[in-house]
Amino acid sequence: MMDFSYCKIEVYIPETHFAALQKALQEADAGHIGKYDSCLSYSKVMSCWRPLEDARPYIGQVGAISTEAELKVETVCPTEAADRTVYAIKQIHPYEEPVINVVPLYRTSFD
């Protein structure tokens, strides 16, 4: 089994919460690359979902498909910091079930 030193964190979030996410990532020290910190990229995306029975959606209605603009935010962190970074994101994320992907990175330019 291969040991991955870094991972990529992908977060889908409403644009209204970008500043809070940026601060949470900085406080968790995600996006620290060499002599730089707070490194991330983001792009506007369209996302779809349908809240099921007993859901408490931040956006949308139970049983109806929602299509909304969001930001996809990507950053890196040491694999050992992934859990605390995900925890920090969940503390500020408005969604009941936020999409947060942690992807192991085989290699980075700063390895």
Side-chain angles (χ1 to χ4, degrees):
M1 182 163 163
M2 183 168 276
D3 183 32
F4 295 97
S5 299
Y6 291 93
C7 58
K8 177 169 70 168
I9 308 284
E10 300 174 341
V11 182
Y12 293 82
I13 195 163
E15 193 167 357
T16 55
H17 287 70
F18 177 73
L21 175 62
Q22 197 170 25
K23 183 177 180 195
L25 292 172
Q26 183 181 44
E27 289 174 358
D29 203 26
H32 192 139
I33 302 172
K35 296 178 183 176
Y36 297 83
D37 75 357
S38 305
C39 301
L40 60 77
S41 61
Y42 64 93
S43 53
K44 292 186 178 192
V45 297
M46 293 301 291
S47 297
C48 301
W49 60 87
R50 181 175 67 159
L52 301 175
E53 189 175 327
D54 296 326
R56 295 181 320 272
Y58 178 75
I59 299 171
Q61 301 295 321
V62 171
I65 292 178
S66 293
T67 302
E68 299 289 338
E70 293 184 301
L71 294 180
K72 177 184 180 185
V73 180
E74 299 176 89
T75 192
V76 297
C77 74
T79 301
E80 64 197 26
D83 288 342
R84 84 165 175 256
T85 302
V86 169
Y87 178 81
I89 295 166
K90 285 183 174 183
Q91 297 309 298
I92 61 86
H93 205 294
Y95 292 172
E96 181 177 20
E97 301 287 350
V99 175
I100 305 167
N101 299 319
V102 179
V103 181
L105 295 173
Y106 172 72
R107 187 175 190 299
T108 66
S109 62
F110 47 93
D111 277 348

